[in-house]
Amino acid sequence: MTTSKPMTGEQLDELLTVAVRMQRDAEADRNFPSANFAYAVQVAVLELRRTRDITSALAPVVPDGYALVPIIPTEDMIINGFEAELREEFRDPDAWEAYEVMSGCEQAALRAKWCWTAMVKAAPQQEDPKIKK
């Protein structure tokens, strides 16, 4: 069995147009069962559009520069954050020298930034078509 893809907005427009024409023709021929069916198709298309609009409006919006991350970090996120200082940043002698002249607070802030960046990068990525970027 093949899985069908959702109808596009253009396909729904076409279906609605056909259903309106079908209802009009069926009523002219006094074929009320067909007219009722065509009317039911119109109602279904309009309801589907309304549901899609509501779903789209409720989807989370993730602005550029932001990411959705778990409320409770995963083990991988914690490990990556904890090991952030052991990575590339301290392999560069100039970066190490700049770090050494920083105050304790500046060093802590920089380590927190590295930790956060590593944790966000390690966060599980979920492709969700409902999430707007």
Side-chain angles (χ1 to χ4, degrees), residues 3-126:
T3 306
S4 59
K5 295 191 297 189
M7 293 181 78
T8 65
E10 195 172 276
Q11 290 170 323
L12 288 174
D13 290 344
E14 170 102 15
L15 179 58
L16 188 61
T17 301
V18 169
V20 168
R21 202 172 299 131
M22 180 181 171
Q23 181 185 4
R24 184 190 62 224
D25 293 346
E27 286 173 349
D29 292 342
R30 303 190 60 74
N31 182 349
F32 297 113
S34 291
N36 287 339
F37 173 77
Y39 177 74
V41 170
Q42 294 170 55
V43 170
V45 168
L46 295 173
E47 186 63 25
L48 178 58
R49 280 186 179 162
R50 189 176 78 77
T51 302
R52 284 184 179 180
D53 290 345
I54 290 170
T55 303
S56 177
L58 295 176
V61 176
V62 182
D64 288 340
Y66 286 76
L68 291 178
V69 295
I71 292 172
I72 299 172
T74 64
E75 182 179 356
D76 194 39
M77 290 173 67
I78 293 168
I79 291 169
N80 277 274
F82 188 72
E83 294 177 348
E85 292 181 22
L86 306 175
R87 298 196 182 157
E88 304 291 324
E89 291 83 5
F90 282 147
R91 293 185 190 157
D92 177 15
D94 293 335
W96 178 249
E97 188 177 311
Y99 179 81
E100 283 187 318
V101 298
M102 291 179 180
S103 71
C105 289
E106 289 173 323
Q107 288 178 352
L110 186 59
R111 286 194 313 270
K113 182 179 176 184
W114 288 337
C115 178
W116 178 253
T117 300
M119 290 179 76
V120 170
K121 283 182 182 176
Q125 300 299 308
Q126 184 175 6

